Amino acid sequence: MATLTDIFQMVKTDFSNLTDFRLRGSTIEIMTCVSTITNHYVSVFVSQQDNAYVVSDGGWLAKEYYENSVSYEDEMIVQKLELQYRKYFGVETTLHEGLVRYYYKTTGKIELVSALVYDVSNYIAAVVNSHSISYNEGREQSQRQRFNHDVNSFLWDKYSEHLTFNDSLTNCHPELNSIKFNAIIRHHTDTYLIMYVSGYSRQNFNKDASEAYTHFQMVEKYSQGAEFIKIAIINTNANGYVPVNANSYLKLLQDQTHNQLVEFYKDVNTLMQYVPLEVSEPIIDMEK
């Protein structure tokens, strides 16, 4: 059985293995084991300028490399948090060539570089994580409820005979039992799986798109040969719908569904092309 010190050495080794580097000209990128809730590991950039060592974020925060965009409504709150983090970690900021904002710390002692790497990487993670929190949950919930209500009402009006909401594929693979779809339309041999994509913030909108993609991907993996028609309905009126930020997520989602995404408030007729209106008509027993 391992001793307590053996456990410590194992943890130390494992954490060290999470750290890597990449040479970038006169700068070295250090890929740390510090992670963000946007599923990125933090990198810092170390260079030597005159007699000082500089550890910076490389401008990646400003470039939104960590998917750390902020909605307009949250800017005031986030700015206050960033100021507190900068004071706590002792981080300074500058505009590189007047264009990109950098966050950095400097030291004249090489033995302090590790401490600066620790401070700057944790500062980056704290800022990114603060950007990823919704500070307008009431507005998020209100906008999402309104969109869900509009889509649900439309689906119920057209396809109520064969429609269920917040349902799963319970008769397929056990892995699919816990996966909920916003709506499922079952008619004869056809099953239509429908996911909604909305969000008051860009992070929440992209999260919705990612969740829909994952759900459809799971169906493809565990469907055991069964075929389903996958449909994603997009809220293009959502505050979080920013095409330049969301397009990569929506492209993956469209590739996964093999169908054009339905922009509900722009062209709901696209949905009716995939789910014909005849589906809504009850089956009549002609022998009666």
Side-chain angles (χ1 to χ4, degrees), residues 81-285:
L81 288 171
E82 286 183 10
L83 182 59
Q84 291 300 315
Y85 291 141
R86 280 172 54 194
K87 288 181 178 178
Y88 179 80
F89 288 106
V91 171
E92 299 180 72
T93 181
T94 186
L95 284 176
H96 179 64
E97 297 180 352
L99 297 174
V100 180
R101 184 165 296 281
Y102 279 63
Y103 298 89
Y104 69 95
K105 292 189 73 171
T106 62
T107 181
K109 299 179 179 180
I110 191 170
E111 61 268 23
L112 294 180
V113 169
S114 296
L116 268 60
V117 168
Y118 176 89
D119 285 346
V120 174
S121 60
N122 278 280
Y123 167 77
I124 293 169
V127 170
V128 171
N129 293 343
S130 70
H131 289 185
S132 303
I133 298 172
S134 175
Y135 301 96
N136 291 281
E137 292 185 2
R139 295 176 182 177
E140 171 74 41
Q141 185 176 8
S142 175
Q143 188 173 81
R144 187 178 297 276
Q145 286 179 343
R146 183 167 60 251
F147 176 64
N148 287 3
H149 175 269
D150 290 348
V151 179
N152 288 349
S153 297
F154 177 85
L155 293 176
W156 185 258
D157 181 59
K158 303 295 182 183
Y159 312 107
S160 59
E161 292 291 330
H162 310 281
L163 175 69
T164 56
F165 293 116
N166 194 32
D167 200 1
S168 60
L169 297 170
T170 54
N171 295 325
C172 291
H173 194 282
E175 289 288 343
L176 300 179
N177 290 347
S178 61
I179 296 179
K180 296 288 187 179
F181 296 90
N182 293 109
I184 297 179
I185 298 174
R186 297 178 175 90
H187 181 66
H188 293 315
T189 58
D190 291 329
T191 300
Y192 303 83
L193 307 177
I194 303 174
M195 291 293 294
Y196 307 162
V197 178
S198 185
Y200 192 80
S201 68
R202 280 179 278 186
Q203 289 86 355
N204 285 344
F205 187 93
N206 295 342
K207 180 181 177 182
D208 259 24
S210 297
E211 183 178 87
Y213 172 85
T214 302
H215 281 25
F216 290 143
Q217 189 179 49
M218 290 288 286
V219 168
E220 193 169 281
K221 182 177 180 180
Y222 294 108
S223 60
Q224 298 178 323
E227 293 187 4
F228 301 96
I229 300 168
K230 296 172 285 187
I231 299 171
I233 301 179
I234 312 301
N235 182 7
T236 52
N237 287 353
N239 289 58
Y241 174 64
V242 181
V244 68
N245 186 262
N247 280 347
S248 59
Y249 293 89
L250 297 180
K251 176 63 167 60
L252 287 173
L253 182 56
Q254 181 167 308
D255 290 345
Q256 179 58 234
T257 63
H258 309 296
N259 288 316
Q260 180 180 340
L261 303 180
V262 178
E263 298 182 351
F264 184 75
Y265 293 116
K266 289 185 177 181
D267 186 17
V268 73
N269 291 328
T270 304
L271 174 63
M272 297 169 67
Q273 293 174 14
Y274 300 141
V275 189
L277 278 176
E278 301 85 73
V279 167
S280 65
E281 298 176 359
I283 301 172
I284 300 175
D285 189 346

Side-chain angles (χ1 to χ4, degrees), residues 32-99:
T32 74
C33 59
V34 178
S35 62
T36 71
I37 60 176
T38 56
N39 296 318
H40 289 277
Y41 282 103
V42 171
S43 283
V44 296
F45 299 82
V46 183
S47 61
Q48 189 172 6
Q49 299 179 17
D50 298 326
N51 295 320
Y53 298 96
V54 181
V55 180
S56 81
D57 76 319
W60 282 14
L61 276 176
K63 296 174 184 176
E64 298 183 359
Y65 176 85
Y66 300 102
E67 300 180 67
N68 53 297
S69 57
V70 180
S71 65
Y72 174 78
E73 292 81 2
D74 291 339
E75 280 186 359
M76 291 295 292
I77 298 173
V78 169
Q79 285 175 3
K80 291 179 180 179
L81 288 171
E82 286 183 10
L83 182 59
Q84 291 300 315
Y85 291 141
R86 280 172 54 194
K87 288 181 178 178
Y88 179 80
F89 288 106
V91 171
E92 299 180 72
T93 181
T94 186
L95 284 176
H96 179 64
E97 297 180 352
L99 297 174

